[in-house]
Amino acid sequence: MAKIEIEIDGKMVRAKPGEMLISVTDREGISVPRFCYHKKLSVAASCRMCLVDVEGAPKPQPACSTPISEGMKIHTQNEKSKSSQKAVMEFLLINHPLDCPICDQGGECELQDVAVEYGSDVSCFSEGKRIVADNDIGPLIQTDMTRCIHCTRCVRFGAEIAGIMEMGGTGRGDHLKIEPFLTEGVTSELSGNMIDVCPVGALTSKPFRYELRSWQMNSTSTIARHDLVGSNINAQTYKGNVKRVVSGDNDAVNETWISDRDRFSYEGLSHENRLLEPQIKIEGQWKEVGWHVALDYAVKGLTSNILNNHQSDQLGVMASKTSTVEEFYLLQKIAREIGSENIDYRLNIKNLDNTAKLESNIKLGGLEGVDHALIVGSNPRLEQPMINHRLRKASLNGTSVDVINSMKFDFNYQLNSENIIAPNQIASTLAGVLSSVLASVSIELPDYLQSIKVSKESASIAEKLNNSDNSVIVLGEHVVNAENSATIVNLIAQIAKHTNSTTLNLSTTANSLAAELTGFVPGSKGMNVNAMLESDLKAYILLDIYPEYDFHHADKAIDALNDKDNFVISLNGFKNDIVSEYSDVILPIAAFYETSGTHININGDMQSFAASVVAPGESKPAWKVFKVLADLLKLPGFNYVDSTQITEEVSHQAHNNHLHNENIDLSITSDNINIIWQQSPYSIDALLRHSGSLQQTKIGKLNFAYMNASVAKDLGVSADSKYLGVPVVITDAVADRCVFVNANKATQTGGES
Amino acid sequence: MNEVCFKNLDKKDSWSLAVYEASGGYSVWRKILRGELTPEQIIDELKASGLRGRGGAGFPTGLKWSFMPRNSAGQKYVVCNSDEGEPGTCKDRDILRYNPHAVIEGMAIGGFVMNATTGYNYIRGEFIEPFNRFEGALKEAYAAGLLGENISDSGVDFNLYAHLGAGAYVCGEETALLESIEGKKGQPRFKPPFPANVGLYGKPTTINNTESFASVADILSKGGKWFADLGVENSGGCKLFSVSGHVKNPANFEVSMGTPFKDLLEMAGGMRDGAKLKAVIPGGSSTPVLTADVAMAMTMDYDGIEKAGSMLGAGSVIVMDESTCMVETLTRLAHFYYDESCGQCTPCREGTGWLYRALKRITDGNGKDGDIELLLNVQDKIMGNTICALGDAAAMPVESFLRNFREEFEYYIEHGKSMVKG
Ligand SMILES: Cc1cc2nc3c(=O)[nH]c(=O)nc-3n(C[C@H](O)[C@H](O)[C@H](O)COP(=O)(O)O)c2cc1C
Ligand code: SF4
Ligand code: FES
């Protein structure tokens, strides 16, 4: 669009016609005060702080909602502008408590900042001030609504970004109150952003309440590692502790929002369960020792158990999917240098012969541009909140969304169709889609599709994909353990290929893309995790693993690791009884925020971060532990001084060559009750499980086995009993012949039916 | 007197379709349905009539209708503002009670001119009787085949619905009214965009006052010039004035624009109990108050009232006699705006509360030096800085009360009691 010229404070400025004046002044570095305006929210134009003088207009105009036009002349600093701004400032302050000394926002308060410039030091207001009663809106956000200036940023955030209007304005005039509509308070998975958008101290972080002043803390930018986005965050630290986390800006990744999970998980860092000292087990007794002793003990154990006997293939290494690129890389390098390819991170997969590869070939920003999305087996709102946010934005712009899931979830955007079917029917539905797609492009059907009858639902899903120019198929976590999971993945790949759709693979989260990239998977001569557990291996190195949470075959894993004849080296951030039981050495390691490293997100961005704080006690970053261990084992090629050298090396020799099942087999049509076992969103890693406030939220308390009445009857459970240790909820939201489990605790069976 | 909106006032069942049609009602609408009138002709006639919006702002109706993008694709709406919340006003209530078909015909004509096939009449929440009358009239009009789809095979569609408000004054502000129809909290929208471009449900919309719509059919049947000649230069036609306060016979009067105020006062039976006139608010509580002398010399038309220092507004004439304490009156008015501010924009939310609390303090006997300056200062800080005109409406009376009756305020502050009542 052709640019136009306007004059601001005597200076000629070029801008797009129709652009709001405030974006032009912001770009030009001209300061216009504001409260209600937020660049990622709709315009409210209600605080009136941004009033400026536009020549020709009798009244001052709000810069945030005045579209510019050719030849406009604006004065932001003249008497008329200043007197309006000062008037508004005075009005905002008359009922404000001015309790800055006891307000957590002090020092980072937009009202305080603007008042310094526009406020007066004497008030002519002598009437009684307004007082607003507070509601408890949940464990994450502290409210002090007497301080509220009614900018409605939080209300608009809820309605526009979080997609549920949990805060609203009730009452009118100076009885207007910003408050939650429901007694439940604020429960959105993105709720913490309200703290960031609130310009004053009305909404502040509850866990951080009365802790510190913002200027007492250092801020380091880092990367959140709980999901596939790698949101950019700022860790605010004081005397070596992370005290608060706020969002960072990165339009290509998280824009300016972060999930509550990324914001509040830091609380786990100071949990009393942190592991602080290296320890070794001598004759069944644990003993805290120094690092030298512990590492010597580890080396001796490895030497006597495998190295001396030339049984290096008897080593198994496993890591949590939250590990960093550097940690994955060094641990697999140690294994390979020793001579073992028994390497794996896919602990939660029931049948590793039944996995197939689906690539992600669309970026986060690209998601906003799709015209159609098909989501298979995912509750993206809770699993990948920031990816769901992009899908929601797309949907608001008219993108249609079809869903194939085994349970109805609370989507915060409109769905075109919601197909709720048990996992073992998903393959046949997708086969119908593929058949319909191939028919429409006149490609001969492969044998496996010959006998497939195309249902109405499949046909309409196919039609949507066919008719769209830019569609995406999103695969989630729920089908990874389905009986025909590889078939499902391969069908999706075929459908995507023939409809020119992009694909987005959300089936494994956190930093699992880094595991794939660094080759943290079994080599051609190696065993996968399930095979290792059956093979009585002689030695293990386990990185941040908590078996009862991490393994699908938890009982089997615990048994195998407890074998008397093996030697187990565990690196953990938190104490855990089961780990103590089977380990021979436990090495305390740095958690999130305490180590440098790299996360790979769904865009393929390698986002490196420095440590924000030093790890507590004797714990050390795992990459350093591996480096020293390798040196002690006299393995070549570990001369790293800092972790960036490792990252550099990884980018030169990425390998990823483990086997995938490329078959499409539609013969499995069992009528078994299908179980989808999923860790609840705030229990997916050890740090989260130790973050107190998150655990008290509604999402944190998700711990239910959902099923319909007929399945409950078949399983012999009822609404007040438990299934696999998880309280039962009877609901029609779940597909028939299917149980959907969201568990926050370990179970005896680890999801085995 | 009583030549347009009230012309059937003295007839039995004046609100019925039969009475309306007997006096020429729906003849214009039928002409349109027969294809004998074009939108351009209608707009020209309205412009010639000098009809100005009767909701308060006095914007020329013909001009307003010509702004609608009638040829753009998509739904368009026509909305009637019967929220009538301005203290002192009750004229629209009586139009709805006694002449609802004139509103229906006016809206239908508007719908045709602006290519809007759907109309809403937003009626003040407390107006149950007028609402029922209007609903009854709608039923009659539908039954007579005057509304609906493809009316009398003309190819013209017009559906009309009544919507009952819930008692907020601010919903009379046209964009708050649209929000309210949409089912949202009644808060004014910022402008631009204006409703003619982005209105109800985001579609082009024209909003007019009840009296404006009720005047349209007669203007078209008798001619713009006829209407213009009823009034004076710049103020065409006649106008409903709601006369209230210390008069013998408070009522609505439809008189020619330009009628002297003293004649209007006489029609209302003159001052009650022979008391002396003290002050007049000529256009509704939002317009500046005038002293007796000025009022008695004023004519009731846009220019006449403006010359006197106030505004015609909605034609709500509040008459006050010598027994009135102007400090307490202003306090009562300030309370109204404090109570009715929607609260979204800062100057109005905070300013109306401040004005009211300061005035309340004065009438409680706790006034202090500097209070008058304070009140003037606060009203000045509200003026012009708000989203909608409610802020200005709250500010304006303060300035005029203090200008015209300053000594009463000084007395109240100094003595802690009313100069008038003691
Ligand atoms: C606070 C406020 C209240 C209003 N109340 C009314 C009302 O009750 N009735 C009305 O017709 N106009 C009211 N208006 C004016 C409307 O916004 C609008 O100008 C009018 O309905 C347009 O119709 P007209 O052009 O026919 O006058 C009000 C305006 C404000 C700012
Ligand atoms: S001026 Fe008052 S009523 Fe109008 S938008 Fe602002 S707060 Fe609401
Ligand atoms: S920032 Fe423009 S009105 Fe609030």
Side-chain angles (χ1 to χ4, degrees), chain B residues 179-413:
Chain B
E179 291 280 299
S180 177
I181 296 182
E182 288 181 13
K184 302 180 191 147
K185 193 176 178 192
Q187 290 186 334
R189 301 174 181 171
F190 61 82
K191 286 142 269 192
F194 290 95
N197 296 314
V198 182
L200 187 61
Y201 300 111
K203 305 290 182 202
T205 302
T206 288
I207 301 122
N208 277 110
N209 171 256
T210 320
E211 186 183 349
S212 311
F213 277 122
S215 308
V216 168
D218 269 3
I219 290 172
L220 296 176
S221 67
K222 299 188 180 139
K225 182 162 178 338
W226 165 81
F227 188 79
D229 288 348
L230 288 176
V232 291
E233 168 106 42
N234 238 342
S235 303
C238 38
K239 168 86 190 84
L240 280 167
F241 289 101
S242 314
V243 183
S244 66
H246 301 144
V247 293
K248 274 209 190 83
N249 175 22
N252 286 313
F253 301 94
E254 186 169 34
V255 298
S256 287
M257 286 282 201
T259 302
F261 167 75
K262 63 177 180 5
D263 294 359
L264 187 63
L265 184 59
E266 217 152 277
M267 287 178 213
M271 297 303 292
R272 198 170 64 186
D273 306 330
K276 212 168 145 232
L277 178 68
K278 178 174 185 179
V280 176
I281 298 177
S285 66
S286 310
T287 61
V289 66
L290 301 173
T291 56
D293 298 351
V294 175
M296 289 307 274
M298 156 181 83
T299 57
M300 300 302 284
D301 55 281
Y302 288 101
D303 293 350
I305 301 181
E306 197 175 320
K307 233 174 44 224
S310 188
M311 294 184 298
L312 183 133
S316 341
V317 184
I318 303 173
V319 178
M320 290 168 266
D321 70 16
E322 287 282 355
S323 70
T324 314
C325 171
M326 299 312 272
V327 184
E328 287 168 12
T329 306
L330 182 62
T331 309
R332 183 64 192 85
L333 283 181
H335 182 267
F336 174 79
Y337 292 105
Y338 156 70
D339 207 34
E340 296 292 347
S341 161
C342 86
Q344 66 171 327
C345 73
T346 309
C348 174
R349 176 184 65 244
E350 305 296 341
T352 53
W354 195 351
L355 288 175
Y356 168 64
R357 289 192 177 90
L359 282 161
K360 177 81 171 49
R361 185 166 45 71
I362 295 172
T363 53
D364 283 347
N366 298 319
K368 31 180 215 223
D369 266 5
D371 275 348
I372 291 181
E373 290 64 36
L374 175 78
L375 290 169
L376 286 171
N377 193 324
V378 173
Q379 71 85 26
D380 183 53
K381 284 175 175 161
I382 301 174
M383 252 338 234
N385 288 337
T386 54
I387 291 184
C388 83
L390 193 149
D392 295 349
M396 253 180 305
V398 176
E399 191 277 334
S400 62
F401 271 69
L402 285 165
R403 178 162 38 80
N404 288 319
F405 303 97
R406 190 177 175 114
E407 67 288 354
E408 281 192 43
F409 287 83
E410 284 167 347
Y411 185 93
Y412 221 130
I413 291 168

Side-chain angles (χ1 to χ4, degrees), chain B residues 78-276:
Chain B
V78 47
V79 173
C80 175
N81 188 342
S82 301
D83 192 49
E84 195 160 60
E86 178 86 355
T89 316
C90 52
K91 64 187 181 68
D92 297 337
R93 181 193 63 186
D94 283 358
I95 295 175
L96 295 175
R97 281 160 87 199
Y98 300 117
N99 196 7
H101 283 288
V103 181
I104 297 176
E105 187 174 8
M107 289 187 72
I109 295 168
F112 168 73
V113 171
M114 294 172 277
N115 213 351
T117 53
T118 303
Y120 292 93
N121 186 7
Y122 188 97
I123 299 175
R124 175 178 168 142
E126 293 87 340
F127 284 1
I128 297 298
E129 188 204 5
F131 178 81
N132 289 335
R133 280 278 164 82
F134 188 76
E135 284 278 24
L138 273 181
K139 258 199 208 118
E140 282 184 308
Y142 269 103
L146 291 161
L147 297 173
E149 267 104 54
N150 189 18
I151 308 165
S152 317
D153 273 335
S154 59
V156 176
D157 299 341
F158 191 70
N159 279 302
L160 180 52
Y161 309 93
H163 183 102
L164 196 60
Y169 168 62
V170 73
C171 287
E173 197 282 338
E174 56 189 20
T175 55
L177 184 149
L178 298 180
E179 291 280 299
S180 177
I181 296 182
E182 288 181 13
K184 302 180 191 147
K185 193 176 178 192
Q187 290 186 334
R189 301 174 181 171
F190 61 82
K191 286 142 269 192
F194 290 95
N197 296 314
V198 182
L200 187 61
Y201 300 111
K203 305 290 182 202
T205 302
T206 288
I207 301 122
N208 277 110
N209 171 256
T210 320
E211 186 183 349
S212 311
F213 277 122
S215 308
V216 168
D218 269 3
I219 290 172
L220 296 176
S221 67
K222 299 188 180 139
K225 182 162 178 338
W226 165 81
F227 188 79
D229 288 348
L230 288 176
V232 291
E233 168 106 42
N234 238 342
S235 303
C238 38
K239 168 86 190 84
L240 280 167
F241 289 101
S242 314
V243 183
S244 66
H246 301 144
V247 293
K248 274 209 190 83
N249 175 22
N252 286 313
F253 301 94
E254 186 169 34
V255 298
S256 287
M257 286 282 201
T259 302
F261 167 75
K262 63 177 180 5
D263 294 359
L264 187 63
L265 184 59
E266 217 152 277
M267 287 178 213
M271 297 303 292
R272 198 170 64 186
D273 306 330
K276 212 168 145 232

Side-chain angles (χ1 to χ4, degrees), chain A residues 97 99 102-105 132-148 154 166-167 177-180 182 185-186 191 194-195 198 200-207 209-210:
Chain A
D99 58 345
I102 55 156
C103 175
D104 271 344
Q105 194 85 357
V132 182
D134 283 300
N135 300 304
D136 183 353
I137 67 168
L140 304 179
I141 305 177
Q142 177 66 44
T143 62
D144 291 276
M145 298 318 277
T146 303
R147 299 176 186 143
C148 170
C154 60
E166 294 184 293
M167 294 288 261
K177 242 167 64 175
I178 304 296
E179 58 182 355
L182 305 173
V186 171
S191 70
M194 290 184 190
I195 299 168
C198 179
V200 297
L203 305 176
T204 52
S205 164
K206 204 175 235 179
R209 185 154 222 225
Y210 297 146

